[in-house]
Short mmCIF file of all heavy atoms in Angstrom, two decimals:
data_model
loop_
_atom_site.label_atom_id
_atom_site.label_comp_id
_atom_site.label_asym_id
_atom_site.label_seq_id
_atom_site.Cartn_x
_atom_site.Cartn_y
_atom_site.Cartn_z
N GLY A 100 0.33 20.31 1.68
CA GLY A 100 1.08 21.11 0.80
C GLY A 100 2.62 21.05 1.06
O GLY A 100 3.47 21.52 0.25
N GLU A 101 3.05 20.44 2.14
CA GLU A 101 4.48 20.36 2.38
C GLU A 101 5.03 18.92 2.23
O GLU A 101 4.36 18.03 2.65
CB GLU A 101 4.83 20.91 3.76
CG GLU A 101 4.52 22.34 3.99
CD GLU A 101 5.05 22.83 5.33
OE1 GLU A 101 5.54 22.07 6.04
OE2 GLU A 101 4.79 23.98 5.69
N GLU A 102 6.18 18.80 1.72
CA GLU A 102 6.81 17.57 1.74
C GLU A 102 7.16 17.00 3.04
O GLU A 102 7.74 17.74 3.82
CB GLU A 102 8.12 17.49 0.81
CG GLU A 102 8.75 16.22 0.67
CD GLU A 102 10.09 16.38 -0.07
OE1 GLU A 102 10.13 16.88 -1.25
OE2 GLU A 102 11.12 15.92 0.45
N ARG A 103 6.80 15.75 3.36
CA ARG A 103 7.03 15.19 4.72
C ARG A 103 8.00 14.14 4.79
O ARG A 103 8.72 13.99 5.72
CB ARG A 103 5.77 14.71 5.33
CG ARG A 103 4.83 15.80 5.93
CD ARG A 103 5.48 16.40 7.20
NE ARG A 103 4.71 17.46 7.82
CZ ARG A 103 3.80 17.31 8.76
NH1 ARG A 103 3.57 16.11 9.26
NH2 ARG A 103 3.17 18.34 9.22
N ALA A 104 8.00 13.36 3.75
CA ALA A 104 8.92 12.17 3.76
C ALA A 104 9.24 11.75 2.28
O ALA A 104 8.42 11.90 1.37
CB ALA A 104 8.32 10.98 4.44
N LYS A 105 10.49 11.31 2.10
CA LYS A 105 10.99 10.73 0.85
C LYS A 105 11.32 9.34 1.04
O LYS A 105 12.02 8.99 1.97
CB LYS A 105 12.04 11.64 0.32
CG LYS A 105 11.71 12.66 -0.65
CD LYS A 105 12.96 13.37 -1.23
CE LYS A 105 12.62 14.35 -2.30
NZ LYS A 105 13.82 14.95 -2.89
N GLY A 106 11.02 8.58 0.04
CA GLY A 106 11.49 7.15 -0.01
C GLY A 106 12.46 6.95 -1.14
O GLY A 106 13.31 7.75 -1.35
N ASN A 107 12.28 5.92 -1.87
CA ASN A 107 13.16 5.57 -2.91
C ASN A 107 12.79 6.22 -4.22
O ASN A 107 12.61 5.63 -5.22
CB ASN A 107 13.24 3.96 -3.16
CG ASN A 107 13.69 3.28 -1.98
OD1 ASN A 107 14.63 3.76 -1.31
ND2 ASN A 107 13.13 2.14 -1.69
N ILE A 108 12.72 7.56 -4.14
CA ILE A 108 12.27 8.30 -5.33
C ILE A 108 13.52 8.81 -6.13
O ILE A 108 14.47 9.42 -5.53
CB ILE A 108 11.40 9.50 -4.92
CG1 ILE A 108 10.79 10.12 -6.18
CG2 ILE A 108 12.07 10.53 -3.99
CD1 ILE A 108 9.71 11.16 -5.93
N LEU A 109 13.53 8.55 -7.41
CA LEU A 109 14.65 8.93 -8.27
C LEU A 109 14.62 10.42 -8.41
O LEU A 109 13.66 11.16 -8.37
CB LEU A 109 14.48 8.24 -9.63
CG LEU A 109 14.48 6.77 -9.68
CD1 LEU A 109 14.09 6.19 -11.00
CD2 LEU A 109 15.78 6.15 -9.22
N GLU A 110 15.80 10.99 -8.75
CA GLU A 110 16.00 12.44 -8.98
C GLU A 110 15.21 12.90 -10.16
O GLU A 110 14.85 14.03 -10.22
CB GLU A 110 17.44 12.82 -9.07
CG GLU A 110 18.20 12.72 -7.77
CD GLU A 110 19.58 13.41 -7.90
OE1 GLU A 110 19.85 14.02 -8.84
OE2 GLU A 110 20.38 13.21 -6.94
N ARG A 111 14.91 11.93 -11.12
CA ARG A 111 14.19 12.29 -12.26
C ARG A 111 12.69 12.50 -11.95
O ARG A 111 11.87 12.93 -12.84
CB ARG A 111 14.35 11.24 -13.38
CG ARG A 111 15.78 11.00 -13.81
CD ARG A 111 15.82 9.86 -14.85
NE ARG A 111 15.59 8.54 -14.33
CZ ARG A 111 14.50 7.85 -14.60
NH1 ARG A 111 13.48 8.34 -15.24
NH2 ARG A 111 14.46 6.55 -14.17
N PHE A 112 12.33 12.06 -10.77
CA PHE A 112 10.91 12.16 -10.34
C PHE A 112 10.80 13.30 -9.36
O PHE A 112 11.59 13.54 -8.59
CB PHE A 112 10.55 10.86 -9.67
CG PHE A 112 10.40 9.62 -10.53
CD1 PHE A 112 10.91 9.68 -11.90
CD2 PHE A 112 10.10 8.38 -10.09
CE1 PHE A 112 10.92 8.53 -12.69
CE2 PHE A 112 10.00 7.25 -10.86
CZ PHE A 112 10.48 7.35 -12.15
N SER A 113 9.64 13.98 -9.41
CA SER A 113 9.33 15.06 -8.49
C SER A 113 7.76 15.10 -8.19
O SER A 113 6.99 14.54 -9.01
CB SER A 113 9.78 16.44 -8.98
OG SER A 113 9.08 16.76 -10.07
N ALA A 114 7.38 15.70 -7.13
CA ALA A 114 5.95 15.73 -6.83
C ALA A 114 5.67 17.05 -6.29
O ALA A 114 6.53 17.77 -5.69
CB ALA A 114 5.56 14.53 -5.92
N GLN A 115 4.41 17.36 -6.13
CA GLN A 115 3.94 18.54 -5.43
C GLN A 115 2.47 18.36 -4.97
O GLN A 115 1.81 17.56 -5.54
CB GLN A 115 4.15 19.89 -6.12
CG GLN A 115 3.50 19.85 -7.48
CD GLN A 115 3.89 21.16 -8.18
OE1 GLN A 115 4.02 22.21 -7.62
NE2 GLN A 115 4.03 21.11 -9.56
N GLN A 116 2.14 19.05 -3.92
CA GLN A 116 0.72 19.09 -3.42
C GLN A 116 0.20 20.55 -3.46
O GLN A 116 0.86 21.41 -2.90
CB GLN A 116 0.59 18.49 -2.10
CG GLN A 116 -0.88 18.41 -1.63
CD GLN A 116 -1.02 17.81 -0.27
OE1 GLN A 116 -0.16 17.91 0.56
NE2 GLN A 116 -2.17 17.13 -0.01
#
Side-chain angles (χ1 to χ4, degrees):
Chain A
E101 293 187 4
E102 182 185 302
R103 278 292 177 93
K105 262 187 175 180
N107 299 323
I108 187 167
L109 300 172
E110 285 191 11
R111 301 183 285 107
F112 295 2
S113 65
Q115 54 185 327
Q116 186 179 28

